[in-house]
Amino acid sequence: MARARNKRADDRRAAGRGARRGQASAEPVVEPVDGGLAELMPDRDRARAWTLLIDGAPQSHVDLDDPAYLSFEYQRRLGHVIDLVAPPGKPVHAVHLGGGALTLARYTAATRPRSTQQVVERDAALVQLVRRELPLDPNARIRVRSVDAREGLAKVPDDWADLVIADVFSGARTPAHLTSVEFVAEVRRVVKAGGVYAANLADGPPLAHLRGQIATVAVAFPELALVADPTVLRGKRFGNAVLVASGQPLPIAELTRRAASDPHPGRVEHGKELTDFTGGAIPVTDAAAVASPPPPPSVFR
């Protein structure tokens, strides 16, 4: 992971146009967006692949030639959820809270053609940058709305979504108003009876935020599973965990198999083990909500 870079956007914007001439000569594309300084860094190992960073924090990786390729560990785990939410290839209705470089919306469009997707990404300047430099497949049915995640979610009809994915970070932290039972109640309103909610969460020892989020989501969804690196679950380091929730039983066996076969194997906790892991944490309300903890500086070195 890269550190933040103190380079002015206008010094390198012209050089960034190499992105359209092939990756061998491509240079980073750097410009300010609403959330900070955005950088699109070329992947030297893949012909038309890019990593998006905001203020030095990696946000997304996109391969324009192969949108089904997921580089980041947590995105691979969210990809498993997308794969298992319905029979292979079946179109779905999906809501993505947080867009980044639209990696997971692209993945859904590639693996489930004719899916209808809504992306809610507050940073309008980032959306413009991504659309310009990493254009979407014109046949993909992806609508992007530049509003706050909770505001955008409120406009989605009841029981519309087969899948809602929350991957919202501001300054590498999940905003407080997206961590409460009131927020999760809105998610539950939108998700179909057999649909799935998946959230990318980031935490480190003593994992108080992660445990609180499990308790919060459990208020609205009876079926839960948590997928993460075992070292994160043991509180040994800061990292990402994917919380999966539904009103119906989850495909635990297949999710476990897929997570275990990842390049960086993950562990799935559910049932009594997940209850024990939660350790009596109390659900979070709007009145008491705080943003997720900031990552230590070493995370982006």
Side-chain angles (χ1 to χ4, degrees), residues 160-225:
W160 183 84
D162 299 290
L163 175 66
V164 173
I165 295 178
D167 184 17
V168 184
F169 287 85
S170 176
R173 305 176 70 182
T174 302
H177 69 297
L178 304 181
T179 67
S180 68
V181 292
E182 291 89 347
F183 165 70
V184 177
E186 272 294 285
V187 174
R188 186 67 188 89
R189 177 189 63 78
V190 166
V191 173
K192 295 177 182 178
V196 173
Y197 171 54
N200 176 32
L201 307 172
D203 199 8
L207 300 178
H209 173 73
L210 182 56
R211 292 186 171 100
Q213 287 305 288
I214 297 168
T216 300
V217 174
V219 172
F221 293 96
E223 301 291 332
L224 302 176

Side-chain angles (χ1 to χ4, degrees), residues 3-40:
R3 286 180 178 271
R5 295 163 176 82
N6 295 319
K7 298 180 178 68
R8 294 182 59 184
D10 55 352
D11 290 338
R12 291 167 63 185
R13 191 173 302 165
R17 296 302 177 261
R20 299 188 177 89
R21 297 193 298 271
Q23 214 71 345
S25 60
E27 294 294 335
V29 180
V30 183
E31 64 183 64
V33 294
D34 299 339
L37 186 66
E39 298 175 274
L40 288 173

Side-chain angles (χ1 to χ4, degrees), residues 222-234:
E223 301 291 332
L224 302 176
L226 186 69
V227 191
D229 187 297
T231 60
V232 173
L233 294 176
R234 291 197 298 269

Side-chain angles (χ1 to χ4, degrees), residues 239-257:
N240 295 85
V242 171
L243 181 58
V244 188
S246 180
Q248 303 293 330
L250 293 163
I252 298 296
E254 183 61 17
L255 184 61
T256 300
R257 185 191 71 78

Side-chain angles (χ1 to χ4, degrees), residues 268-280:
V268 176
E269 297 284 9
H270 65 99
K272 183 180 184 301
E273 290 78 12
L274 185 58
T275 300
D276 292 344
F277 175 83
T278 307

